[in-house]
Every structure is written in structure tokens, then in C-alpha cells.
Amino acid sequence: MATSKSGEKKHQILQTLATMLENPKGEKITTAALAARIGVSEAALYRHFASKAQMFEGLIEFIETSVFSLINQITEQQDDGLLQAQEMVLMLLGFSSRNPGMTKVMTGDALVNEDERLQLRMNQFTDRIELAIKQALRLAVLTGQVNEADVAVRANLIVSAVLGRWLRFVKTSFKSDPLENSTQQISLLLR
């Protein structure tokens, strides 16, 4: 029973942290402010997480699990490589649109003054996304839709466009929706 309550409290802490990251002013989030928002002491936070870095790791784990399970669903349900890549990009932009606080983590904005290993983990996350898009494009090579020589360059360009949309979303205080004009932009990238 205690594990269930502990899990619920961890979830509440992470959810509150993500909500606080949605603040467009981008003020540094302290454990004191987080504890006050939840209505617990800082010591109570540290009973669930050893450090603030561990809290961010919890958010990153949520992001990774969510995004890569959706990528796996796309690859299992879609046989066409270009459509796989298109659906992945739309999913990545949609995830960002629905989760502004998480987008600050994905762009690294929320990690600027945090432990360096958190940014390294997000860099690996981006590399894994690029790898998934490369695999989709390699599938498109088999059907003659894409030239083999263009796969790596095109995957990198697509990921750079996604990162740019995420960053613009964060830098405009979440006013520039990542999904705006995305269908047309993706079709230009996948031609």
C-alpha cells in the first residue's frame, strides 16, 4: 500500500514540475518553490527523489517512454517508409504541442543550470529519434521513394526541423504551435 502512495506522490511531484516548466517567464525552479506548490516540505520531496536532477530524470524517462512507444506503434502499423517518417514527425510535434513543459526539457532549456548528464541524455534522445527516422527512410529506399545517399542527410534535416519547431514553441512562450503548417512543411522535407 505504501508503494502505491509513494508512486502517486512521485507522479504528483513530476506532474507539478512539468506544470511549473510551462511558466513562460522561465524562472529557475527551486525545490523550495516546487515543495510549496505541492504543499509539502522540501524534506518530503527528498524522500521520493534524492535530488532535483533525479526529478528531471523522471521527466526524461516519461518523455522517452512515451515517444519511443509511439514510434514503435508507427513502425508496426505503417509499412510505407515515407509515411512512417511523416507520422513520426507529426507525433513529435503533437507531443510537444500537448506538453509545453516537457518541450522545455526536450530542447534543453529547462536543463541549463542542472546536472550536465541530463543534457547528455536528451542529446541521446535526439540521436535515437534521428535513428528511427533513418530507419523509416531506409525502408523508403527499398521502394524507390528515396535515394540511399540522401538518407542520413535527410534524417538530420528532418530532426533539425523538429528541434527548430520545439525551440520556437519554447522561445515564443508557447504561442507558436509546433503543429502549425506542419503537414505542408513535412511534405517539403520528404519530397
Side-chain angles (χ1 to χ4, degrees), residues 146-159:
V146 174
N147 184 336
E148 175 71 39
D150 296 338
V151 168
V153 171
R154 191 179 292 226
N156 184 265
L157 178 62
I158 290 167
V159 169

Side-chain angles (χ1 to χ4, degrees), residues 81 131-143 146 148 151-152:
L131 180 61
I133 292 173
K134 276 184 194 173
Q135 289 171 335
L137 293 175
R138 285 192 184 109
L139 184 60
V141 167
L142 298 176
T143 57
V146 174
E148 175 71 39
V151 168

Side-chain angles (χ1 to χ4, degrees), residues 11-82:
H11 179 75
Q12 180 189 15
I13 292 167
L14 293 177
Q15 198 169 30
T16 304
L17 176 57
T19 301
M20 289 176 76
L21 288 169
E22 293 177 13
N23 179 352
K25 292 180 183 161
E27 296 162 0
K28 185 170 172 28
I29 296 173
T30 64
T31 53
L34 179 59
R37 176 78 66 95
I38 297 169
V40 298
S41 67
E42 279 185 85
L45 288 181
Y46 289 117
R47 280 195 288 277
H48 299 283
F49 295 96
S51 64
K52 192 164 81 165
Q54 227 181 43
M55 293 176 210
F56 276 109
E57 284 175 339
L59 289 179
I60 292 170
E61 189 173 308
F62 170 81
I63 292 166
E64 290 172 336
T65 301
S66 300
V67 166
F68 291 112
S69 68
L70 292 169
I71 284 175
N72 289 338
Q73 285 177 20
I74 291 167
T75 59
E76 289 170 8
Q77 296 170 2
Q78 181 55 257
D79 293 333
D80 183 294
L82 284 182

Side-chain angles (χ1 to χ4, degrees), residues 51-58 60 64 105 108 110-125:
S51 64
K52 192 164 81 165
Q54 227 181 43
M55 293 176 210
F56 276 109
E57 284 175 339
I60 292 170
E64 290 172 336
V105 176
L111 306 176
V112 169
N113 296 313
E114 303 303 330
D115 191 307
E116 184 181 328
R117 79 178 187 282
L118 298 172
Q119 185 59 58
L120 292 174
R121 188 164 171 187
M122 288 315 306
N123 293 347
Q124 291 170 342
F125 168 77

